[in-house]
Amino acid sequence: MRDAAVRVRGGMLGGAGVVTLLWAAQVRPSARPDALFATAAHLSGLLAGYGVLVLLFLMARVPAVEHGVGADRLARRHAFGGRYVLLLVLGHGLFALLGYAVHEGTDVVSAASELLGYPALAAAAAGTVLLAAVGVTSARAVRRRVSHETWRGVHLFVHLAAALAFGHQLAGPDLAAVAWFWALAHTVVAVLLVWYRGVVPVRQALRHALRVADVRVEGPGVVSVVMYGQHLAELRAEPGQFLRWRFLQRRLWHAALPFSLSAPVRGNALRITVKGLGGHSRRIRRLRPGTRVLATGPFGALTAARRTRPKVLLIAGGVGITPMRALFETLPGGPGDITLLYRAGAEEHLVLRAELEAIAAERQAGLHYLLGPSGAAYDPLAPQALAALVPDLAEHDVYLCGPPGMAEATRAALLRAGVPAGRIHCECFSF
């Protein structure tokens, strides 16, 4: 996974370098204020256009990228890069406006009015407004106050913003010689988006014909949903991965919910285990057998492919036990090679306990329940506690899944306990 992440990061930085070289090949040095503003507008505009393409590519759900880098890491890079792309877009508009005002010797308001009359500029301005709306709703303070569906709906405006700005980008200064390159880049990203976010999900829905078979209570507020379908082996869903599920039932059909597999795919059956934290999760408990299900994926890189050592430690917190349970059953290993630590607030919060104990007995694997409130004086996931439970901890690969706060603290503890960063494999998602 590390190699894939390095290649993707290198490709993004290399592309930015190519764009900068295109700008440098066309720039005409001048000390005039209007020329300086125009030069800055040109560079920021090129980088902004390239940045939007990168953001769209990261979220195109290309399997080779998703499985190699990890969906959570891609999402973080997308969010991080989005801030700078928005700044570049706004900077491009500001530099262009000031440059035009200085060149024409007019005020900023008049310059803005005249600029909007240029070809494709009004559409690009509309795209900028849409992109700003996406940025505002993605700010942490705002995002906490809007529903996930509202945020996702606004986020889709990125595609429209990119389309509106495309014509303006081809009309940039001296860009005719490289317009083919710009058009090709946009075409490739557009094809990837249409294929992996449109065609593939529809094809999977028709091919697999998933339906709810049963909803089983696993614990307080926790249920497992068992689904049956056709040709499920073609999904190639591995333990540790998740899919995005859309249940075609009232008040659920519009939401694509990411849940991990809580057991390996068996024949024509899939299972997820869900904790009822939000409105949609609670409604899942009332799913009716026979409900049609659309599943997209699989996604994520928390799979056996990350393994680098014979011994593996699995650490799960809360409902993060779902992918860990699937890995606990399927990761290759002999007696003593696989150990699972399950962190929960109390014994009644343990989910899938009977299955975990049966797997541990059959495989002669280690299984430890770490119980107690998160704010207690004794932390069972502190470096010393981990080293006591797993004496050769530094020789293990560690798979980690749990709430963001727990996962971050546990990763820091593992590093302090001597586990190399490259052997800590974690995927975390939060809204």
Short mmCIF file of all heavy atoms in Angstrom, two decimals, residues 15-84:
data_model
loop_
_atom_site.label_atom_id
_atom_site.label_comp_id
_atom_site.label_asym_id
_atom_site.label_seq_id
_atom_site.Cartn_x
_atom_site.Cartn_y
_atom_site.Cartn_z
N GLY A 15 2.41 16.05 -11.92
CA GLY A 15 1.47 16.77 -12.76
C GLY A 15 1.49 18.26 -12.49
O GLY A 15 1.43 19.08 -13.42
N ALA A 16 1.57 18.63 -11.21
CA ALA A 16 1.66 20.06 -10.86
C ALA A 16 2.93 20.67 -11.44
O ALA A 16 2.92 21.82 -11.90
CB ALA A 16 1.62 20.23 -9.35
N GLY A 17 4.02 19.89 -11.45
CA GLY A 17 5.26 20.38 -12.04
C GLY A 17 5.13 20.61 -13.54
O GLY A 17 5.64 21.61 -14.08
N VAL A 18 4.44 19.69 -14.22
CA VAL A 18 4.23 19.85 -15.66
C VAL A 18 3.40 21.10 -15.95
O VAL A 18 3.70 21.87 -16.87
CB VAL A 18 3.53 18.60 -16.24
CG1 VAL A 18 3.09 18.84 -17.68
CG2 VAL A 18 4.47 17.40 -16.18
N VAL A 19 2.37 21.31 -15.15
CA VAL A 19 1.52 22.50 -15.33
C VAL A 19 2.34 23.77 -15.12
O VAL A 19 2.20 24.75 -15.87
CB VAL A 19 0.32 22.45 -14.37
CG1 VAL A 19 -0.43 23.78 -14.36
CG2 VAL A 19 -0.62 21.32 -14.77
N THR A 20 3.20 23.76 -14.12
CA THR A 20 4.04 24.93 -13.86
C THR A 20 5.01 25.18 -15.02
O THR A 20 5.27 26.34 -15.40
CB THR A 20 4.82 24.75 -12.55
OG1 THR A 20 3.90 24.50 -11.48
CG2 THR A 20 5.64 25.98 -12.22
N LEU A 21 5.52 24.11 -15.60
CA LEU A 21 6.42 24.26 -16.76
C LEU A 21 5.66 24.83 -17.96
O LEU A 21 6.22 25.64 -18.72
CB LEU A 21 7.04 22.91 -17.12
CG LEU A 21 8.11 22.38 -16.17
CD1 LEU A 21 8.56 20.99 -16.58
CD2 LEU A 21 9.32 23.33 -16.14
N LEU A 22 4.42 24.42 -18.15
CA LEU A 22 3.60 25.00 -19.23
C LEU A 22 3.44 26.50 -19.04
O LEU A 22 3.51 27.28 -19.99
CB LEU A 22 2.23 24.33 -19.26
CG LEU A 22 2.17 22.86 -19.70
CD1 LEU A 22 0.75 22.33 -19.57
CD2 LEU A 22 2.68 22.71 -21.12
N TRP A 23 3.22 26.89 -17.78
CA TRP A 23 3.11 28.33 -17.49
C TRP A 23 4.43 29.03 -17.75
O TRP A 23 4.47 30.11 -18.37
CB TRP A 23 2.69 28.50 -16.03
CG TRP A 23 2.86 29.90 -15.52
CD1 TRP A 23 2.02 30.95 -15.71
CD2 TRP A 23 3.96 30.40 -14.76
NE1 TRP A 23 2.51 32.07 -15.11
CE2 TRP A 23 3.71 31.77 -14.52
CE3 TRP A 23 5.14 29.83 -14.26
CZ2 TRP A 23 4.59 32.56 -13.78
CZ3 TRP A 23 6.00 30.62 -13.53
CH2 TRP A 23 5.72 31.97 -13.30
N ALA A 24 5.54 28.42 -17.29
CA ALA A 24 6.85 29.06 -17.45
C ALA A 24 7.23 29.21 -18.92
O ALA A 24 7.89 30.19 -19.30
CB ALA A 24 7.92 28.24 -16.71
N ALA A 25 6.81 28.26 -19.76
CA ALA A 25 7.15 28.33 -21.18
C ALA A 25 6.40 29.45 -21.89
O ALA A 25 6.81 29.91 -22.96
CB ALA A 25 6.83 27.00 -21.85
N GLN A 26 5.29 29.91 -21.29
CA GLN A 26 4.47 30.93 -21.96
C GLN A 26 4.61 32.31 -21.34
O GLN A 26 4.19 33.30 -21.94
CB GLN A 26 2.99 30.52 -21.88
CG GLN A 26 2.68 29.18 -22.54
CD GLN A 26 1.30 28.68 -22.15
OE1 GLN A 26 0.33 29.42 -22.21
NE2 GLN A 26 1.21 27.42 -21.74
N VAL A 27 5.18 32.39 -20.15
CA VAL A 27 5.22 33.67 -19.44
C VAL A 27 6.16 34.65 -20.15
O VAL A 27 7.21 34.26 -20.68
CB VAL A 27 5.65 33.46 -17.97
CG1 VAL A 27 7.11 33.03 -17.87
CG2 VAL A 27 5.40 34.74 -17.18
N ARG A 28 5.77 35.90 -20.18
CA ARG A 28 6.60 36.96 -20.74
C ARG A 28 6.93 37.93 -19.61
O ARG A 28 6.07 38.69 -19.17
CB ARG A 28 5.85 37.70 -21.86
CG ARG A 28 5.57 36.83 -23.07
CD ARG A 28 4.91 37.65 -24.17
NE ARG A 28 4.69 36.86 -25.36
CZ ARG A 28 3.62 36.13 -25.61
NH1 ARG A 28 2.65 36.08 -24.71
NH2 ARG A 28 3.51 35.43 -26.72
N PRO A 29 8.18 37.89 -19.13
CA PRO A 29 8.55 38.73 -17.98
C PRO A 29 8.29 40.20 -18.24
O PRO A 29 8.58 40.73 -19.32
CB PRO A 29 10.04 38.44 -17.79
CG PRO A 29 10.27 37.12 -18.45
CD PRO A 29 9.31 37.08 -19.61
N SER A 30 7.71 40.85 -17.26
CA SER A 30 7.44 42.28 -17.36
C SER A 30 7.27 42.83 -15.95
O SER A 30 6.75 42.14 -15.06
CB SER A 30 6.16 42.54 -18.19
OG SER A 30 5.82 43.92 -18.14
N ALA A 31 7.70 44.07 -15.77
CA ALA A 31 7.59 44.71 -14.46
C ALA A 31 6.32 45.55 -14.34
O ALA A 31 6.07 46.14 -13.28
CB ALA A 31 8.82 45.59 -14.20
N ARG A 32 5.51 45.62 -15.41
CA ARG A 32 4.28 46.41 -15.33
C ARG A 32 3.30 45.76 -14.36
O ARG A 32 3.13 44.54 -14.37
CB ARG A 32 3.62 46.51 -16.71
CG ARG A 32 4.45 47.25 -17.75
CD ARG A 32 3.59 47.67 -18.93
NE ARG A 32 2.48 46.79 -19.20
CZ ARG A 32 2.54 45.76 -20.06
NH1 ARG A 32 3.65 45.50 -20.72
NH2 ARG A 32 1.46 45.02 -20.27
N PRO A 33 2.61 46.54 -13.53
CA PRO A 33 1.67 45.96 -12.56
C PRO A 33 0.60 45.08 -13.21
O PRO A 33 0.28 44.01 -12.69
CB PRO A 33 1.05 47.19 -11.89
CG PRO A 33 2.09 48.24 -12.04
CD PRO A 33 2.74 48.00 -13.37
N ASP A 34 0.04 45.55 -14.32
CA ASP A 34 -1.01 44.75 -14.95
C ASP A 34 -0.46 43.41 -15.45
O ASP A 34 -1.13 42.37 -15.37
CB ASP A 34 -1.67 45.53 -16.07
CG ASP A 34 -0.69 45.92 -17.16
OD1 ASP A 34 0.51 46.02 -16.87
OD2 ASP A 34 -1.14 46.13 -18.31
N ALA A 35 0.78 43.42 -15.96
CA ALA A 35 1.39 42.17 -16.43
C ALA A 35 1.69 41.22 -15.27
O ALA A 35 1.53 40.00 -15.39
CB ALA A 35 2.67 42.48 -17.19
N LEU A 36 2.12 41.77 -14.15
CA LEU A 36 2.38 40.93 -12.98
C LEU A 36 1.10 40.27 -12.48
O LEU A 36 1.08 39.08 -12.15
CB LEU A 36 3.00 41.77 -11.87
CG LEU A 36 4.43 42.28 -12.13
CD1 LEU A 36 4.88 43.20 -10.99
CD2 LEU A 36 5.40 41.10 -12.27
N PHE A 37 0.01 41.05 -12.43
CA PHE A 37 -1.27 40.47 -12.02
C PHE A 37 -1.72 39.40 -13.00
O PHE A 37 -2.22 38.34 -12.61
CB PHE A 37 -2.34 41.56 -11.92
CG PHE A 37 -2.28 42.38 -10.66
CD1 PHE A 37 -2.23 43.76 -10.72
CD2 PHE A 37 -2.27 41.75 -9.43
CE1 PHE A 37 -2.19 44.52 -9.56
CE2 PHE A 37 -2.23 42.50 -8.25
CZ PHE A 37 -2.19 43.89 -8.32
N ALA A 38 -1.54 39.66 -14.31
CA ALA A 38 -1.95 38.70 -15.33
C ALA A 38 -1.14 37.41 -15.22
O ALA A 38 -1.69 36.30 -15.38
CB ALA A 38 -1.81 39.31 -16.71
N THR A 39 0.17 37.55 -14.96
CA THR A 39 1.02 36.37 -14.83
C THR A 39 0.60 35.52 -13.62
O THR A 39 0.52 34.29 -13.70
CB THR A 39 2.49 36.80 -14.68
OG1 THR A 39 2.88 37.52 -15.85
CG2 THR A 39 3.39 35.58 -14.52
N ALA A 40 0.32 36.20 -12.51
CA ALA A 40 -0.12 35.48 -11.31
C ALA A 40 -1.48 34.82 -11.56
O ALA A 40 -1.73 33.69 -11.11
CB ALA A 40 -0.21 36.44 -10.13
N ALA A 41 -2.36 35.51 -12.29
CA ALA A 41 -3.67 34.94 -12.60
C ALA A 41 -3.53 33.69 -13.47
O ALA A 41 -4.24 32.70 -13.28
CB ALA A 41 -4.54 35.98 -13.29
N HIS A 42 -2.61 33.76 -14.42
CA HIS A 42 -2.40 32.62 -15.32
C HIS A 42 -1.91 31.40 -14.55
O HIS A 42 -2.44 30.28 -14.69
CB HIS A 42 -1.40 33.01 -16.40
CG HIS A 42 -1.28 32.01 -17.50
ND1 HIS A 42 -0.21 31.98 -18.36
CD2 HIS A 42 -2.08 30.97 -17.87
CE1 HIS A 42 -0.36 30.98 -19.21
NE2 HIS A 42 -1.49 30.36 -18.94
N LEU A 43 -0.89 31.58 -13.70
CA LEU A 43 -0.34 30.45 -12.95
C LEU A 43 -1.37 29.88 -11.97
O LEU A 43 -1.57 28.66 -11.92
CB LEU A 43 0.91 30.89 -12.19
CG LEU A 43 1.55 29.81 -11.28
CD1 LEU A 43 1.95 28.59 -12.09
CD2 LEU A 43 2.74 30.39 -10.52
N SER A 44 -2.02 30.75 -11.20
CA SER A 44 -3.01 30.26 -10.24
C SER A 44 -4.18 29.58 -10.94
O SER A 44 -4.73 28.59 -10.44
CB SER A 44 -3.50 31.40 -9.35
OG SER A 44 -4.06 32.45 -10.12
N GLY A 45 -4.57 30.08 -12.11
CA GLY A 45 -5.65 29.47 -12.86
C GLY A 45 -5.29 28.08 -13.37
O GLY A 45 -6.10 27.14 -13.28
N LEU A 46 -4.07 27.93 -13.91
CA LEU A 46 -3.64 26.62 -14.37
C LEU A 46 -3.59 25.61 -13.22
O LEU A 46 -4.06 24.48 -13.35
CB LEU A 46 -2.26 26.73 -15.03
CG LEU A 46 -2.20 27.36 -16.42
CD1 LEU A 46 -0.76 27.59 -16.84
CD2 LEU A 46 -2.90 26.47 -17.44
N LEU A 47 -3.01 26.05 -12.09
CA LEU A 47 -2.90 25.14 -10.96
C LEU A 47 -4.27 24.82 -10.36
O LEU A 47 -4.52 23.70 -9.91
CB LEU A 47 -1.99 25.75 -9.89
CG LEU A 47 -0.50 25.81 -10.24
CD1 LEU A 47 0.27 26.56 -9.16
CD2 LEU A 47 0.09 24.41 -10.44
N ALA A 48 -5.17 25.81 -10.38
CA ALA A 48 -6.52 25.55 -9.87
C ALA A 48 -7.25 24.54 -10.75
O ALA A 48 -7.90 23.62 -10.25
CB ALA A 48 -7.31 26.86 -9.81
N GLY A 49 -7.15 24.71 -12.08
CA GLY A 49 -7.79 23.75 -12.98
C GLY A 49 -7.24 22.35 -12.81
O GLY A 49 -7.99 21.37 -12.78
N TYR A 50 -5.91 22.27 -12.66
CA TYR A 50 -5.29 20.96 -12.43
C TYR A 50 -5.72 20.40 -11.07
O TYR A 50 -6.01 19.20 -10.95
CB TYR A 50 -3.78 21.10 -12.48
CG TYR A 50 -3.05 19.85 -12.05
CD1 TYR A 50 -2.99 18.73 -12.87
CD2 TYR A 50 -2.42 19.78 -10.80
CE1 TYR A 50 -2.34 17.57 -12.47
CE2 TYR A 50 -1.76 18.64 -10.40
CZ TYR A 50 -1.72 17.54 -11.23
OH TYR A 50 -1.07 16.39 -10.82
N GLY A 51 -5.80 21.27 -10.07
CA GLY A 51 -6.20 20.82 -8.74
C GLY A 51 -7.60 20.25 -8.71
O GLY A 51 -7.86 19.24 -8.03
N VAL A 52 -8.53 20.86 -9.43
CA VAL A 52 -9.90 20.33 -9.48
C VAL A 52 -9.90 18.93 -10.10
O VAL A 52 -10.59 18.03 -9.63
CB VAL A 52 -10.82 21.28 -10.26
CG1 VAL A 52 -12.16 20.62 -10.55
CG2 VAL A 52 -11.02 22.58 -9.49
N LEU A 53 -9.09 18.74 -11.15
CA LEU A 53 -9.00 17.42 -11.76
C LEU A 53 -8.46 16.38 -10.77
O LEU A 53 -8.94 15.25 -10.71
CB LEU A 53 -8.09 17.47 -12.99
CG LEU A 53 -8.67 18.10 -14.25
CD1 LEU A 53 -7.64 18.03 -15.38
CD2 LEU A 53 -9.95 17.39 -14.68
N VAL A 54 -7.46 16.76 -9.99
CA VAL A 54 -6.91 15.85 -8.99
C VAL A 54 -7.96 15.48 -7.94
O VAL A 54 -8.11 14.31 -7.57
CB VAL A 54 -5.66 16.47 -8.32
CG1 VAL A 54 -5.23 15.63 -7.11
CG2 VAL A 54 -4.52 16.57 -9.31
N LEU A 55 -8.72 16.48 -7.47
CA LEU A 55 -9.76 16.21 -6.49
C LEU A 55 -10.79 15.24 -7.03
O LEU A 55 -11.24 14.32 -6.32
CB LEU A 55 -10.44 17.52 -6.07
CG LEU A 55 -9.58 18.56 -5.35
CD1 LEU A 55 -10.43 19.78 -4.99
CD2 LEU A 55 -8.95 17.97 -4.09
N LEU A 56 -11.19 15.43 -8.28
CA LEU A 56 -12.18 14.53 -8.89
C LEU A 56 -11.60 13.12 -9.07
O LEU A 56 -12.28 12.12 -8.84
CB LEU A 56 -12.64 15.09 -10.23
CG LEU A 56 -13.45 16.39 -10.17
CD1 LEU A 56 -13.73 16.91 -11.57
CD2 LEU A 56 -14.76 16.16 -9.42
N PHE A 57 -10.33 13.06 -9.45
CA PHE A 57 -9.69 11.75 -9.64
C PHE A 57 -9.61 10.98 -8.33
O PHE A 57 -9.86 9.77 -8.29
CB PHE A 57 -8.30 11.94 -10.23
CG PHE A 57 -7.50 10.67 -10.31
CD1 PHE A 57 -7.78 9.72 -11.27
CD2 PHE A 57 -6.48 10.42 -9.40
CE1 PHE A 57 -7.05 8.53 -11.32
CE2 PHE A 57 -5.75 9.25 -9.44
CZ PHE A 57 -6.03 8.30 -10.41
N LEU A 58 -9.27 11.67 -7.24
CA LEU A 58 -9.15 10.99 -5.95
C LEU A 58 -10.46 10.36 -5.51
O LEU A 58 -10.47 9.35 -4.80
CB LEU A 58 -8.67 11.98 -4.88
CG LEU A 58 -7.23 12.49 -5.02
CD1 LEU A 58 -6.93 13.51 -3.93
CD2 LEU A 58 -6.23 11.33 -4.96
N MET A 59 -11.59 10.97 -5.91
CA MET A 59 -12.89 10.45 -5.52
C MET A 59 -13.59 9.69 -6.64
O MET A 59 -14.79 9.43 -6.56
CB MET A 59 -13.78 11.61 -5.06
CG MET A 59 -13.33 12.26 -3.76
SD MET A 59 -13.50 11.17 -2.30
CE MET A 59 -11.80 10.62 -2.07
N ALA A 60 -12.85 9.32 -7.69
CA ALA A 60 -13.46 8.59 -8.81
C ALA A 60 -13.68 7.12 -8.51
O ALA A 60 -14.29 6.41 -9.31
CB ALA A 60 -12.59 8.74 -10.06
N ARG A 61 -13.18 6.64 -7.37
CA ARG A 61 -13.34 5.25 -6.95
C ARG A 61 -12.72 4.26 -7.93
O ARG A 61 -13.27 3.19 -8.22
CB ARG A 61 -14.82 4.91 -6.73
CG ARG A 61 -15.47 5.75 -5.63
CD ARG A 61 -16.94 5.45 -5.47
NE ARG A 61 -17.56 6.32 -4.46
CZ ARG A 61 -18.85 6.39 -4.23
NH1 ARG A 61 -19.69 5.64 -4.95
NH2 ARG A 61 -19.33 7.20 -3.32
N VAL A 62 -11.55 4.64 -8.44
CA VAL A 62 -10.79 3.73 -9.31
C VAL A 62 -10.26 2.60 -8.43
O VAL A 62 -9.53 2.86 -7.47
CB VAL A 62 -9.64 4.47 -10.00
CG1 VAL A 62 -8.85 3.53 -10.89
CG2 VAL A 62 -10.19 5.65 -10.81
N PRO A 63 -10.61 1.35 -8.70
CA PRO A 63 -10.23 0.25 -7.79
C PRO A 63 -8.74 0.17 -7.50
O PRO A 63 -8.35 -0.03 -6.34
CB PRO A 63 -10.72 -1.00 -8.54
CG PRO A 63 -11.85 -0.52 -9.38
CD PRO A 63 -11.47 0.88 -9.80
N ALA A 64 -7.90 0.33 -8.51
CA ALA A 64 -6.46 0.22 -8.27
C ALA A 64 -5.97 1.26 -7.28
O ALA A 64 -5.07 1.01 -6.47
CB ALA A 64 -5.71 0.36 -9.60
N VAL A 65 -6.57 2.45 -7.32
CA VAL A 65 -6.17 3.52 -6.41
C VAL A 65 -6.80 3.30 -5.04
O VAL A 65 -6.13 3.41 -4.00
CB VAL A 65 -6.58 4.90 -6.98
CG1 VAL A 65 -6.20 6.02 -6.02
CG2 VAL A 65 -5.91 5.12 -8.33
N GLU A 66 -8.09 2.99 -5.00
CA GLU A 66 -8.79 2.76 -3.73
C GLU A 66 -8.14 1.63 -2.94
O GLU A 66 -7.90 1.76 -1.74
CB GLU A 66 -10.25 2.41 -4.00
CG GLU A 66 -11.12 3.60 -4.38
CD GLU A 66 -11.93 4.10 -3.19
OE1 GLU A 66 -11.79 3.54 -2.09
OE2 GLU A 66 -12.68 5.07 -3.39
N HIS A 67 -7.87 0.52 -3.59
CA HIS A 67 -7.33 -0.64 -2.89
C HIS A 67 -5.86 -0.47 -2.56
O HIS A 67 -5.36 -1.08 -1.61
CB HIS A 67 -7.52 -1.90 -3.74
CG HIS A 67 -8.96 -2.20 -4.04
ND1 HIS A 67 -9.35 -3.16 -4.95
CD2 HIS A 67 -10.11 -1.66 -3.56
CE1 HIS A 67 -10.68 -3.20 -5.00
NE2 HIS A 67 -11.15 -2.30 -4.17
N GLY A 68 -5.15 0.33 -3.33
CA GLY A 68 -3.72 0.51 -3.07
C GLY A 68 -3.43 1.56 -2.02
O GLY A 68 -2.52 1.40 -1.21
N VAL A 69 -4.19 2.64 -2.02
CA VAL A 69 -3.92 3.75 -1.10
C VAL A 69 -4.80 3.67 0.14
O VAL A 69 -4.36 3.94 1.25
CB VAL A 69 -4.14 5.10 -1.82
CG1 VAL A 69 -3.89 6.27 -0.87
CG2 VAL A 69 -3.21 5.21 -3.03
N GLY A 70 -6.05 3.29 -0.03
CA GLY A 70 -7.00 3.27 1.08
C GLY A 70 -7.99 4.40 0.96
O GLY A 70 -7.61 5.54 0.71
N ALA A 71 -9.27 4.07 1.11
CA ALA A 71 -10.31 5.07 0.92
C ALA A 71 -10.21 6.21 1.92
O ALA A 71 -10.49 7.36 1.59
CB ALA A 71 -11.69 4.40 1.03
N ASP A 72 -9.81 5.90 3.16
CA ASP A 72 -9.74 6.97 4.16
C ASP A 72 -8.63 7.95 3.83
O ASP A 72 -8.78 9.17 3.97
CB ASP A 72 -9.55 6.38 5.55
CG ASP A 72 -8.22 5.65 5.70
OD1 ASP A 72 -7.74 5.07 4.70
OD2 ASP A 72 -7.67 5.64 6.82
N ARG A 73 -7.49 7.43 3.37
CA ARG A 73 -6.38 8.32 3.02
C ARG A 73 -6.72 9.17 1.81
O ARG A 73 -6.39 10.37 1.75
CB ARG A 73 -5.11 7.50 2.74
CG ARG A 73 -3.89 8.34 2.47
CD ARG A 73 -2.64 7.51 2.31
NE ARG A 73 -2.28 6.86 3.57
CZ ARG A 73 -1.15 6.16 3.74
NH1 ARG A 73 -0.32 6.01 2.73
NH2 ARG A 73 -0.89 5.62 4.90
N LEU A 74 -7.41 8.59 0.83
CA LEU A 74 -7.84 9.37 -0.33
C LEU A 74 -8.79 10.48 0.09
O LEU A 74 -8.71 11.60 -0.40
CB LEU A 74 -8.52 8.45 -1.35
CG LEU A 74 -7.62 7.48 -2.10
CD1 LEU A 74 -8.46 6.54 -2.96
CD2 LEU A 74 -6.62 8.22 -2.97
N ALA A 75 -9.71 10.15 1.00
CA ALA A 75 -10.67 11.17 1.47
C ALA A 75 -9.95 12.30 2.19
O ALA A 75 -10.30 13.48 2.02
CB ALA A 75 -11.70 10.52 2.38
N ARG A 76 -8.95 11.97 2.99
CA ARG A 76 -8.20 13.02 3.70
C ARG A 76 -7.43 13.90 2.72
O ARG A 76 -7.38 15.12 2.88
CB ARG A 76 -7.26 12.39 4.72
CG ARG A 76 -7.96 11.81 5.94
CD ARG A 76 -6.98 11.59 7.08
NE ARG A 76 -5.93 10.64 6.72
CZ ARG A 76 -6.01 9.33 6.91
NH1 ARG A 76 -7.11 8.81 7.43
NH2 ARG A 76 -5.01 8.54 6.57
N ARG A 77 -6.83 13.28 1.72
CA ARG A 77 -6.10 14.08 0.72
C ARG A 77 -7.05 14.96 -0.07
O ARG A 77 -6.73 16.10 -0.42
CB ARG A 77 -5.31 13.16 -0.21
CG ARG A 77 -4.12 12.49 0.47
CD ARG A 77 -3.32 11.65 -0.51
NE ARG A 77 -2.17 11.04 0.14
CZ ARG A 77 -1.32 10.23 -0.47
NH1 ARG A 77 -1.52 9.92 -1.75
NH2 ARG A 77 -0.29 9.71 0.18
N HIS A 78 -8.22 14.43 -0.38
CA HIS A 78 -9.22 15.19 -1.09
C HIS A 78 -9.64 16.42 -0.27
O HIS A 78 -9.72 17.54 -0.79
CB HIS A 78 -10.43 14.30 -1.37
CG HIS A 78 -11.59 14.99 -2.01
ND1 HIS A 78 -11.68 15.20 -3.36
CD2 HIS A 78 -12.70 15.54 -1.46
CE1 HIS A 78 -12.80 15.85 -3.63
NE2 HIS A 78 -13.45 16.07 -2.49
N ALA A 79 -9.91 16.20 1.02
CA ALA A 79 -10.32 17.31 1.88
C ALA A 79 -9.20 18.32 2.06
O ALA A 79 -9.42 19.54 2.01
CB ALA A 79 -10.76 16.77 3.23
N PHE A 80 -7.99 17.83 2.25
CA PHE A 80 -6.84 18.73 2.44
C PHE A 80 -6.57 19.55 1.18
O PHE A 80 -6.38 20.76 1.23
CB PHE A 80 -5.61 17.90 2.81
CG PHE A 80 -4.37 18.70 3.04
CD1 PHE A 80 -4.18 19.37 4.23
CD2 PHE A 80 -3.38 18.79 2.05
CE1 PHE A 80 -3.03 20.13 4.45
CE2 PHE A 80 -2.24 19.53 2.26
CZ PHE A 80 -2.06 20.20 3.46
N GLY A 81 -6.58 18.87 0.02
CA GLY A 81 -6.31 19.57 -1.22
C GLY A 81 -7.41 20.53 -1.61
O GLY A 81 -7.15 21.56 -2.26
N GLY A 82 -8.65 20.22 -1.21
CA GLY A 82 -9.77 21.08 -1.58
C GLY A 82 -9.60 22.50 -1.06
O GLY A 82 -9.98 23.47 -1.74
N ARG A 83 -9.03 22.66 0.13
CA ARG A 83 -8.84 24.00 0.69
C ARG A 83 -7.92 24.83 -0.20
O ARG A 83 -8.19 26.01 -0.48
CB ARG A 83 -8.23 23.89 2.09
CG ARG A 83 -9.04 23.03 3.06
CD ARG A 83 -8.43 23.05 4.45
NE ARG A 83 -9.10 22.11 5.34
CZ ARG A 83 -8.57 20.96 5.73
NH1 ARG A 83 -7.36 20.62 5.32
NH2 ARG A 83 -9.23 20.16 6.54
N TYR A 84 -6.84 24.21 -0.64
CA TYR A 84 -5.86 24.95 -1.44
C TYR A 84 -6.37 25.20 -2.85
O TYR A 84 -6.07 26.24 -3.45
CB TYR A 84 -4.54 24.19 -1.46
CG TYR A 84 -3.89 24.16 -0.10
CD1 TYR A 84 -4.04 23.06 0.74
CD2 TYR A 84 -3.17 25.25 0.39
CE1 TYR A 84 -3.47 23.04 2.00
CE2 TYR A 84 -2.61 25.24 1.64
CZ TYR A 84 -2.75 24.13 2.45
OH TYR A 84 -2.20 24.12 3.70
#
